[in-house]
Amino acid sequence: MNVDMDTDDWLGCPTPLEMYQHQCAILVDELVETERMLLRARANIAGLVQMNDLLMASKADAEERLVVAVEKISKLEQQYSFASVQSVKIITGQRDHLLRENQRLLVELSVYKQPLA
């Protein structure tokens, strides 16, 4: 018994053309999603490039200010080290003068305290 009947439409089986159309619809949806993700990635990259440019400008500015601050610190160190050395010399001279004056006064005092013979 040979039955030559087309059974493609039995039990809701899709035809080959319907399967190809469904596959094409799936691929189109995937391409649309991929394009959306690509656009979002490009926007993120552009934002990151902008942020990097701002950070590089801020870094350059901070480095310039650091160089200026280091120069100021070295100048102040030189100035105050010179001033502190000068002040130490002045104080040392005053101390030496007071020490000599004290010794002279002690000698004079010892002369007045000696018993009269």
Side-chain angles (χ1 to χ4, degrees), residues 19-95:
M19 287 191 294
Y20 289 131
Q21 287 174 342
H22 181 67
Q23 186 66 27
C24 285
I26 291 173
L27 289 174
V28 167
D29 289 343
E30 287 179 1
L31 285 174
V32 167
E33 179 66 19
T34 303
E35 185 178 7
R36 188 182 62 77
M37 290 170 55
L38 180 62
L39 289 174
R40 190 177 344 142
R42 285 182 178 161
N44 286 343
I45 290 170
L48 290 172
V49 167
Q50 251 183 341
M51 288 171 56
N52 186 47
D53 291 343
L54 289 173
L55 288 173
M56 293 300 288
S58 296
K59 179 185 174 220
D61 182 49
E63 286 175 344
E64 289 175 10
R65 287 188 289 147
L66 177 65
V67 167
V68 169
V70 167
E71 288 174 2
K72 282 183 181 178
I73 288 171
S74 67
K75 287 178 183 177
L76 289 173
E77 284 176 346
Q78 290 173 356
Q79 178 184 355
Y80 285 117
S81 66
F82 177 75
S84 63
V85 167
Q86 291 296 75
S87 64
V88 168
K89 285 183 180 180
I90 291 171
I91 292 171
T92 303
Q94 291 172 351
R95 181 204 61 192

Side-chain angles (χ1 to χ4, degrees), residues 8-14 18:
D8 285 342
D9 59 347
W10 288 9
L11 301 174
C13 291
E18 290 173 337

